[in-house]
Amino acid sequence: MIRCVVPRSAGNALQRARFFGSGLVARKAVAFDMPAMSPTMTEGGIVQWQVKQGDSYAAGDVLLEIETDKAQIAVEAQDDGVMAKILVQDGAKEIKVGTPIAVLADPGDDIASIDFDSVVSSAEPATNTTSEQPEKPVQPTSSPEPEPAARSTPVEVPENMVLLPSVYRLVHQLEVDISKIKGTGPEGRILKGDVLAAAGKISSSWPAEEAKIIEKRTHLDLSYEPAPKKEATKPKELPKPVITQTIIDLAALLEFSVDQGFNLDQTISKASRLATRDALLASKPKPSVLRDRIFDSLTAPKPAVPFDVTLKVLKKKASPKALQAMVSVPPQFLNRGQKMGDIYLDRLAFYLNAK
Amino acid sequence: MIRAAKRTLSQAYQLKSSFKRSLSTAIENGDKEITLALPEEAFELYHLDNGPDLDFKLTKQQLLDMYREMVVIRRMEMAADALYKAKEIRGFCHLSTGQEAIAVGIESAINKEDTVITSYRCHGFAYMRGASVASIIGELLGKANGCSKGKGGSMHIYTPNFFGGNGIVGAQVPLGLGLGFAHKYRNEKSACFTLYGDGAANQGQVFEAYNMAKLWDVPVVFACENNKYGMGTAASRASALTDYYKRGQYIPGLKINGMDVLSCYMGSVFAKNWCISGKGPLVLEYETYRYGGHSMSDPGTTYRTRDEIKQMRSHHDPINGLKARLLDLEVATEQEIKSVDKEARAFVESEIDVAHKAEFPKATPEVLFEDVYLKGNEIPMLRGRIPSENFYFK
């Protein structure tokens, strides 16, 4: 419903509204202006009118196709109506937004009785005022120039130079005359370092040196250069297994007599098995109080390399049987190998005595 | 249920009449009760035993008021469209042409104590919540008489118990949950209607809000306005499940024909009663359609056909639909409806005139920085772009 909102028609709305109660007054035809189909559109051309003069149309119908610098767009009618007169014909180009291009009337209006000149002329001044109106209050009352009272020496800022906020602040803080500074930034932009150098806070050669480094690092060197050959390093030697060795005097150790029917080997192997288990258990880290079997099975490390034990039983002719135990701890247990070996031997003696 | 609905309605109208008397004129036989019936297809239920009542009564005055409000919103949106194309409105502008039934249906079902929060397609809701057309158009024009003193624009329109107009897609949903929680916390018999589009329905925060709402049984109505397109993408191309009323999963849902104001009204009455009876949240889907593009820079015809829009306009328009029903039931004559049309049109025109004549806000730092903080709670200083623009609250 374009006609009700164009400002000039709205001007008469109050006056008209008084008559609506009696339902006597037919609405005036209104001018249809060149619409801005995008926020950046300032002018456009008419490709083709889709509604002929005198035709009626319904809301949503395409009135005309217009052409902007970007695209060709169809303009739809917002309300039902009649195309009373087309003012600007197909093919016209560079029509400014807001220029009347047609006159629209309500369905049932007598088109013959419309005074087109007055409709269009009443449109002209209104468009002018609306285009100028918004500009007035936009002018800022406070000047963007920094207040001169804030500093003792005035800062001369070259007209085209836009300083970064941080630099701007420094210039004011240090009261530097930036017209004498040569910028080292991109396209000669003045940077914080330049201001600091000009104020004598850092050495005057520093910004130029820094700029060189930055310049060098901003260009990625992709040229191929074979990497220097590394000297072949010896593979790391695996730590040797820890070996704990001891001789247990069975005769002294065993409080029972080695009599017939007693299988020494069996006893020893049983004791050894139990001692191995104990050594493993004792060397394991203490389980948490919050230990959960299911959780542990998900998170616990994989079973380690088995604890390797070698036992040797030495028999001497005259003396009673002596048992020599040699414990070999795999390198994986290295940090606690000695301890495990000791525990093993201790437990072995215990189990052998346990009958 | 009918009695409850009638009570809610009369309350709503009593409250509204205080701020919109200027337009609502007494109608001949306005108190005459009309028996109305909705078809079964008006609603679809999800995890609900009973839906809204299909048979109910409204007075002639109420029906014509609904009709008038829809026409006013339509006229207002058309005005915004033309003003935008005349380059008087700048910036963001999202119009709800075609979706008027939802705003009118919800507002007719709730009262002024209930809260509403919507997406940025908010002009109709702001008007129904009590903002004058002049203040809405004034806001769009950047005038000092605008709802937000001309400093907010289309996306930031607020009135009492209407919490905007939110610029961030979907961000109003958790805010609406908070509003609902406030109702519960204060033991009020009120609910919050949180509206969001089908595009925003895919936002993660919507589901976070669902969870909290159900967990604490917050009286909040999650109302999805499914207008079939999120910007330029058809709902089916963006959503794995386009039944937005089922999206609550553990929250019951109700799908409402959003192109019929009476369905919207009864659905909203049901939703409000559901919430205030302590049953917790409800997810609604108003199935609707927008005739225009997503925003003013979208012609709206690149992702759908003109025939589709035309079909919706001619067969499902909410205003024409109610008009046809009123004529069918012989509630009002063609002449009566026409006079309502004219009245609404003249009303909007005069309001736009007011907006046009209003002043722009003064370009002073005092005006620019006012309302950033609640009066009396300001911090000492607000920073400008450069140090000399810093503003000190006295």
Side-chain angles (χ1 to χ4, degrees), chain B residues 146-176:
Chain B
C147 298
S148 307
K149 302 183 185 172
K151 292 180 276 183
S154 168
M155 285 187 170
H156 305 101
I157 294 177
Y158 310 94
T159 59
N161 276 346
F162 174 65
F163 293 83
N166 285 268
I168 312 292
V169 174
Q172 74 276 18
V173 182
L175 297 182

PDB file of all heavy atoms in Angstrom, chain B residues 146-176:
ATOM      1  N   GLY B 146       9.950   7.692  18.958  1.00  0.00           N
ATOM      2  CA  GLY B 146       9.954   6.235  18.794  1.00  0.00           C
ATOM      3  C   GLY B 146       9.964   5.505  20.124  1.00  0.00           C
ATOM      4  O   GLY B 146      10.297   6.083  21.157  1.00  0.00           O
ATOM      5  N   CYS B 147       9.603   4.220  20.072  1.00  0.00           N
ATOM      6  CA  CYS B 147       9.547   3.384  21.282  1.00  0.00           C
ATOM      7  C   CYS B 147      10.871   3.432  22.038  1.00  0.00           C
ATOM      8  O   CYS B 147      10.902   3.392  23.251  1.00  0.00           O
ATOM      9  CB  CYS B 147       9.300   1.936  20.917  1.00  0.00           C
ATOM     10  SG  CYS B 147       7.783   1.665  20.093  1.00  0.00           S
ATOM     11  N   SER B 148      11.983   3.424  21.296  1.00  0.00           N
ATOM     12  CA  SER B 148      13.296   3.453  21.937  1.00  0.00           C
ATOM     13  C   SER B 148      13.968   4.798  21.689  1.00  0.00           C
ATOM     14  O   SER B 148      15.182   4.873  21.535  1.00  0.00           O
ATOM     15  CB  SER B 148      14.163   2.312  21.407  1.00  0.00           C
ATOM     16  OG  SER B 148      13.485   1.092  21.545  1.00  0.00           O
ATOM     17  N   LYS B 149      13.150   5.835  21.626  1.00  0.00           N
ATOM     18  CA  LYS B 149      13.608   7.217  21.441  1.00  0.00           C
ATOM     19  C   LYS B 149      14.409   7.400  20.151  1.00  0.00           C
ATOM     20  O   LYS B 149      15.321   8.215  20.072  1.00  0.00           O
ATOM     21  CB  LYS B 149      14.436   7.680  22.653  1.00  0.00           C
ATOM     22  CG  LYS B 149      13.631   7.586  23.936  1.00  0.00           C
ATOM     23  CD  LYS B 149      14.410   8.104  25.115  1.00  0.00           C
ATOM     24  CE  LYS B 149      13.626   7.870  26.403  1.00  0.00           C
ATOM     25  NZ  LYS B 149      14.405   8.173  27.592  1.00  0.00           N
ATOM     26  N   GLY B 150      14.093   6.584  19.172  1.00  0.00           N
ATOM     27  CA  GLY B 150      14.733   6.735  17.871  1.00  0.00           C
ATOM     28  C   GLY B 150      16.140   6.193  17.809  1.00  0.00           C
ATOM     29  O   GLY B 150      16.832   6.387  16.823  1.00  0.00           O
ATOM     30  N   LYS B 151      16.563   5.495  18.858  1.00  0.00           N
ATOM     31  CA  LYS B 151      17.943   5.037  18.877  1.00  0.00           C
ATOM     32  C   LYS B 151      18.074   3.523  18.720  1.00  0.00           C
ATOM     33  O   LYS B 151      19.183   2.998  18.743  1.00  0.00           O
ATOM     34  CB  LYS B 151      18.622   5.488  20.177  1.00  0.00           C
ATOM     35  CG  LYS B 151      18.804   6.998  20.230  1.00  0.00           C
ATOM     36  CD  LYS B 151      19.479   7.449  21.500  1.00  0.00           C
ATOM     37  CE  LYS B 151      18.477   7.597  22.609  1.00  0.00           C
ATOM     38  NZ  LYS B 151      19.077   8.109  23.843  1.00  0.00           N
ATOM     39  N   GLY B 152      16.948   2.855  18.561  1.00  0.00           N
ATOM     40  CA  GLY B 152      17.006   1.398  18.481  1.00  0.00           C
ATOM     41  C   GLY B 152      16.770   0.865  17.082  1.00  0.00           C
ATOM     42  O   GLY B 152      17.459  -0.026  16.622  1.00  0.00           O
ATOM     43  N   GLY B 153      15.770   1.412  16.413  1.00  0.00           N
ATOM     44  CA  GLY B 153      15.444   0.919  15.082  1.00  0.00           C
ATOM     45  C   GLY B 153      14.567  -0.310  15.132  1.00  0.00           C
ATOM     46  O   GLY B 153      14.105  -0.730  16.196  1.00  0.00           O
ATOM     47  N   SER B 154      14.410  -0.917  13.970  1.00  0.00           N
ATOM     48  CA  SER B 154      13.436  -2.003  13.803  1.00  0.00           C
ATOM     49  C   SER B 154      13.654  -3.174  14.759  1.00  0.00           C
ATOM     50  O   SER B 154      12.710  -3.819  15.204  1.00  0.00           O
ATOM     51  CB  SER B 154      13.505  -2.500  12.363  1.00  0.00           C
ATOM     52  OG  SER B 154      12.814  -3.700  12.226  1.00  0.00           O
ATOM     53  N   MET B 155      14.918  -3.460  15.083  1.00  0.00           N
ATOM     54  CA  MET B 155      15.191  -4.661  15.878  1.00  0.00           C
ATOM     55  C   MET B 155      15.068  -4.430  17.376  1.00  0.00           C
ATOM     56  O   MET B 155      15.174  -5.369  18.145  1.00  0.00           O
ATOM     57  CB  MET B 155      16.607  -5.140  15.584  1.00  0.00           C
ATOM     58  CG  MET B 155      16.753  -5.820  14.260  1.00  0.00           C
ATOM     59  SD  MET B 155      18.394  -6.501  14.123  1.00  0.00           S
ATOM     60  CE  MET B 155      18.226  -7.480  12.636  1.00  0.00           C
ATOM     61  N   HIS B 156      14.912  -3.178  17.773  1.00  0.00           N
ATOM     62  CA  HIS B 156      14.951  -2.892  19.215  1.00  0.00           C
ATOM     63  C   HIS B 156      13.748  -2.075  19.638  1.00  0.00           C
ATOM     64  O   HIS B 156      13.867  -0.898  19.968  1.00  0.00           O
ATOM     65  CB  HIS B 156      16.251  -2.177  19.575  1.00  0.00           C
ATOM     66  CG  HIS B 156      17.457  -2.944  19.142  1.00  0.00           C
ATOM     67  ND1 HIS B 156      18.160  -2.628  18.023  1.00  0.00           N
ATOM     68  CD2 HIS B 156      18.040  -4.041  19.662  1.00  0.00           C
ATOM     69  CE1 HIS B 156      19.145  -3.495  17.879  1.00  0.00           C
ATOM     70  NE2 HIS B 156      19.092  -4.363  18.861  1.00  0.00           N
ATOM     71  N   ILE B 157      12.590  -2.713  19.604  1.00  0.00           N
ATOM     72  CA  ILE B 157      11.358  -2.035  19.988  1.00  0.00           C
ATOM     73  C   ILE B 157      10.858  -2.673  21.278  1.00  0.00           C
ATOM     74  O   ILE B 157      10.753  -3.900  21.365  1.00  0.00           O
ATOM     75  CB  ILE B 157      10.314  -2.151  18.851  1.00  0.00           C
ATOM     76  CG1 ILE B 157      10.814  -1.376  17.634  1.00  0.00           C
ATOM     77  CG2 ILE B 157       8.968  -1.635  19.301  1.00  0.00           C
ATOM     78  CD1 ILE B 157       9.935  -1.467  16.428  1.00  0.00           C
ATOM     79  N   TYR B 158      10.588  -1.851  22.269  1.00  0.00           N
ATOM     80  CA  TYR B 158      10.163  -2.386  23.576  1.00  0.00           C
ATOM     81  C   TYR B 158       8.942  -1.620  24.078  1.00  0.00           C
ATOM     82  O   TYR B 158       8.818  -0.418  23.851  1.00  0.00           O
ATOM     83  CB  TYR B 158      11.289  -2.263  24.611  1.00  0.00           C
ATOM     84  CG  TYR B 158      12.594  -2.800  24.126  1.00  0.00           C
ATOM     85  CD1 TYR B 158      13.537  -1.970  23.546  1.00  0.00           C
ATOM     86  CD2 TYR B 158      12.882  -4.160  24.220  1.00  0.00           C
ATOM     87  CE1 TYR B 158      14.738  -2.468  23.064  1.00  0.00           C
ATOM     88  CE2 TYR B 158      14.083  -4.665  23.751  1.00  0.00           C
ATOM     89  CZ  TYR B 158      15.005  -3.816  23.174  1.00  0.00           C
ATOM     90  OH  TYR B 158      16.183  -4.319  22.694  1.00  0.00           O
ATOM     91  N   THR B 159       8.067  -2.330  24.744  1.00  0.00           N
ATOM     92  CA  THR B 159       6.967  -1.699  25.463  1.00  0.00           C
ATOM     93  C   THR B 159       6.832  -2.470  26.772  1.00  0.00           C
ATOM     94  O   THR B 159       7.449  -3.523  26.922  1.00  0.00           O
ATOM     95  CB  THR B 159       5.640  -1.788  24.672  1.00  0.00           C
ATOM     96  OG1 THR B 159       5.352  -3.159  24.458  1.00  0.00           O
ATOM     97  CG2 THR B 159       5.720  -1.069  23.346  1.00  0.00           C
ATOM     98  N   PRO B 160       6.019  -1.946  27.710  1.00  0.00           N
ATOM     99  CA  PRO B 160       5.890  -2.697  28.971  1.00  0.00           C
ATOM    100  C   PRO B 160       5.484  -4.152  28.721  1.00  0.00           C
ATOM    101  O   PRO B 160       4.554  -4.424  27.961  1.00  0.00           O
ATOM    102  CB  PRO B 160       4.793  -1.931  29.708  1.00  0.00           C
ATOM    103  CG  PRO B 160       4.935  -0.547  29.197  1.00  0.00           C
ATOM    104  CD  PRO B 160       5.324  -0.673  27.763  1.00  0.00           C
ATOM    105  N   ASN B 161       6.205  -5.048  29.343  1.00  0.00           N
ATOM    106  CA  ASN B 161       6.005  -6.487  29.215  1.00  0.00           C
ATOM    107  C   ASN B 161       6.162  -7.015  27.796  1.00  0.00           C
ATOM    108  O   ASN B 161       5.719  -8.112  27.472  1.00  0.00           O
ATOM    109  CB  ASN B 161       4.661  -6.929  29.797  1.00  0.00           C
ATOM    110  CG  ASN B 161       4.769  -7.132  31.292  1.00  0.00           C
ATOM    111  OD1 ASN B 161       5.869  -7.198  31.836  1.00  0.00           O
ATOM    112  ND2 ASN B 161       3.638  -7.217  31.963  1.00  0.00           N
ATOM    113  N   PHE B 162       6.797  -6.240  26.947  1.00  0.00           N
ATOM    114  CA  PHE B 162       7.241  -6.734  25.634  1.00  0.00           C
ATOM    115  C   PHE B 162       8.736  -6.484  25.573  1.00  0.00           C
ATOM    116  O   PHE B 162       9.179  -5.343  25.589  1.00  0.00           O
ATOM    117  CB  PHE B 162       6.510  -6.014  24.503  1.00  0.00           C
ATOM    118  CG  PHE B 162       7.028  -6.387  23.148  1.00  0.00           C
ATOM    119  CD1 PHE B 162       6.886  -7.685  22.683  1.00  0.00           C
ATOM    120  CD2 PHE B 162       7.668  -5.464  22.340  1.00  0.00           C
ATOM    121  CE1 PHE B 162       7.378  -8.051  21.442  1.00  0.00           C
ATOM    122  CE2 PHE B 162       8.169  -5.818  21.104  1.00  0.00           C
ATOM    123  CZ  PHE B 162       8.024  -7.113  20.653  1.00  0.00           C
ATOM    124  N   PHE B 163       9.493  -7.564  25.532  1.00  0.00           N
ATOM    125  CA  PHE B 163      10.938  -7.443  25.728  1.00  0.00           C
ATOM    126  C   PHE B 163      11.713  -7.497  24.411  1.00  0.00           C
ATOM    127  O   PHE B 163      12.817  -7.994  24.345  1.00  0.00           O
ATOM    128  CB  PHE B 163      11.413  -8.516  26.714  1.00  0.00           C
ATOM    129  CG  PHE B 163      10.878  -8.287  28.095  1.00  0.00           C
ATOM    130  CD1 PHE B 163       9.608  -8.711  28.433  1.00  0.00           C
ATOM    131  CD2 PHE B 163      11.609  -7.597  29.035  1.00  0.00           C
ATOM    132  CE1 PHE B 163       9.093  -8.467  29.695  1.00  0.00           C
ATOM    133  CE2 PHE B 163      11.113  -7.355  30.301  1.00  0.00           C
ATOM    134  CZ  PHE B 163       9.840  -7.784  30.631  1.00  0.00           C
ATOM    135  N   GLY B 164      11.079  -7.001  23.372  1.00  0.00           N
ATOM    136  CA  GLY B 164      11.787  -6.827  22.110  1.00  0.00           C
ATOM    137  C   GLY B 164      11.536  -7.977  21.169  1.00  0.00           C
ATOM    138  O   GLY B 164      11.146  -9.021  21.618  1.00  0.00           O
ATOM    139  N   GLY B 165      11.776  -7.718  20.010  1.00  0.00           N
ATOM    140  CA  GLY B 165      12.780  -7.068  19.227  1.00  0.00           C
ATOM    141  C   GLY B 165      14.172  -7.500  19.663  1.00  0.00           C
ATOM    142  O   GLY B 165      14.826  -6.740  20.343  1.00  0.00           O
ATOM    143  N   ASN B 166      14.690  -8.694  19.214  1.00  0.00           N
ATOM    144  CA  ASN B 166      16.057  -9.071  19.537  1.00  0.00           C
ATOM    145  C   ASN B 166      16.843  -9.317  18.259  1.00  0.00           C
ATOM    146  O   ASN B 166      16.403 -10.054  17.393  1.00  0.00           O
ATOM    147  CB  ASN B 166      16.077 -10.331  20.403  1.00  0.00           C
ATOM    148  CG  ASN B 166      15.671 -10.035  21.826  1.00  0.00           C
ATOM    149  OD1 ASN B 166      16.484  -9.770  22.677  1.00  0.00           O
ATOM    150  ND2 ASN B 166      14.360 -10.013  22.066  1.00  0.00           N
ATOM    151  N   GLY B 167      18.010  -8.727  18.198  1.00  0.00           N
ATOM    152  CA  GLY B 167      18.794  -8.783  16.967  1.00  0.00           C
ATOM    153  C   GLY B 167      19.509 -10.104  16.748  1.00  0.00           C
ATOM    154  O   GLY B 167      19.805 -10.466  15.631  1.00  0.00           O
ATOM    155  N   ILE B 168      19.771 -10.865  17.807  1.00  0.00           N
ATOM    156  CA  ILE B 168      20.534 -12.100  17.657  1.00  0.00           C
ATOM    157  C   ILE B 168      19.564 -13.256  17.431  1.00  0.00           C
ATOM    158  O   ILE B 168      18.645 -13.461  18.224  1.00  0.00           O
ATOM    159  CB  ILE B 168      21.371 -12.395  18.919  1.00  0.00           C
ATOM    160  CG1 ILE B 168      22.144 -11.160  19.379  1.00  0.00           C
ATOM    161  CG2 ILE B 168      22.283 -13.571  18.696  1.00  0.00           C
ATOM    162  CD1 ILE B 168      23.241 -10.729  18.473  1.00  0.00           C
ATOM    163  N   VAL B 169      19.794 -13.998  16.371  1.00  0.00           N
ATOM    164  CA  VAL B 169      18.885 -15.095  16.024  1.00  0.00           C
ATOM    165  C   VAL B 169      18.853 -16.131  17.146  1.00  0.00           C
ATOM    166  O   VAL B 169      19.876 -16.698  17.495  1.00  0.00           O
ATOM    167  CB  VAL B 169      19.320 -15.756  14.700  1.00  0.00           C
ATOM    168  CG1 VAL B 169      18.490 -16.983  14.409  1.00  0.00           C
ATOM    169  CG2 VAL B 169      19.204 -14.765  13.564  1.00  0.00           C
ATOM    170  N   GLY B 170      17.688 -16.348  17.708  1.00  0.00           N
ATOM    171  CA  GLY B 170      17.510 -17.385  18.720  1.00  0.00           C
ATOM    172  C   GLY B 170      17.859 -16.974  20.137  1.00  0.00           C
ATOM    173  O   GLY B 170      17.518 -17.671  21.082  1.00  0.00           O
ATOM    174  N   ALA B 171      18.520 -15.825  20.300  1.00  0.00           N
ATOM    175  CA  ALA B 171      18.971 -15.439  21.639  1.00  0.00           C
ATOM    176  C   ALA B 171      17.816 -15.053  22.546  1.00  0.00           C
ATOM    177  O   ALA B 171      17.958 -15.013  23.758  1.00  0.00           O
ATOM    178  CB  ALA B 171      19.966 -14.293  21.558  1.00  0.00           C
ATOM    179  N   GLN B 172      16.644 -14.772  21.963  1.00  0.00           N
ATOM    180  CA  GLN B 172      15.518 -14.385  22.789  1.00  0.00           C
ATOM    181  C   GLN B 172      14.907 -15.593  23.509  1.00  0.00           C
ATOM    182  O   GLN B 172      14.158 -15.419  24.458  1.00  0.00           O
ATOM    183  CB  GLN B 172      14.441 -13.673  21.956  1.00  0.00           C
ATOM    184  CG  GLN B 172      13.614 -14.545  21.038  1.00  0.00           C
ATOM    185  CD  GLN B 172      14.306 -14.787  19.702  1.00  0.00           C
ATOM    186  OE1 GLN B 172      15.494 -14.585  19.581  1.00  0.00           O
ATOM    187  NE2 GLN B 172      13.571 -15.228  18.713  1.00  0.00           N
ATOM    188  N   VAL B 173      15.230 -16.801  23.067  1.00  0.00           N
ATOM    189  CA  VAL B 173      14.598 -17.986  23.665  1.00  0.00           C
ATOM    190  C   VAL B 173      15.056 -18.193  25.120  1.00  0.00           C
ATOM    191  O   VAL B 173      14.228 -18.313  26.015  1.00  0.00           O
ATOM    192  CB  VAL B 173      14.816 -19.234  22.788  1.00  0.00           C
ATOM    193  CG1 VAL B 173      14.136 -20.437  23.386  1.00  0.00           C
ATOM    194  CG2 VAL B 173      14.306 -18.981  21.382  1.00  0.00           C
ATOM    195  N   PRO B 174      16.371 -18.210  25.389  1.00  0.00           N
ATOM    196  CA  PRO B 174      16.779 -18.283  26.803  1.00  0.00           C
ATOM    197  C   PRO B 174      16.295 -17.085  27.620  1.00  0.00           C
ATOM    198  O   PRO B 174      15.971 -17.241  28.801  1.00  0.00           O
ATOM    199  CB  PRO B 174      18.304 -18.293  26.739  1.00  0.00           C
ATOM    200  CG  PRO B 174      18.661 -18.657  25.361  1.00  0.00           C
ATOM    201  CD  PRO B 174      17.533 -18.242  24.494  1.00  0.00           C
ATOM    202  N   LEU B 175      16.223 -15.910  26.994  1.00  0.00           N
ATOM    203  CA  LEU B 175      15.724 -14.742  27.720  1.00  0.00           C
ATOM    204  C   LEU B 175      14.265 -14.958  28.104  1.00  0.00           C
ATOM    205  O   LEU B 175      13.843 -14.639  29.213  1.00  0.00           O
ATOM    206  CB  LEU B 175      15.840 -13.483  26.857  1.00  0.00           C
ATOM    207  CG  LEU B 175      17.249 -13.047  26.452  1.00  0.00           C
ATOM    208  CD1 LEU B 175      17.198 -11.764  25.659  1.00  0.00           C
ATOM    209  CD2 LEU B 175      18.115 -12.854  27.663  1.00  0.00           C
ATOM    210  N   GLY B 176      13.492 -15.512  27.164  1.00  0.00           N
ATOM    211  CA  GLY B 176      12.084 -15.799  27.432  1.00  0.00           C
ATOM    212  C   GLY B 176      11.939 -16.810  28.562  1.00  0.00           C
ATOM    213  O   GLY B 176      11.036 -16.703  29.403  1.00  0.00           O
TER     214      GLY B 176
END
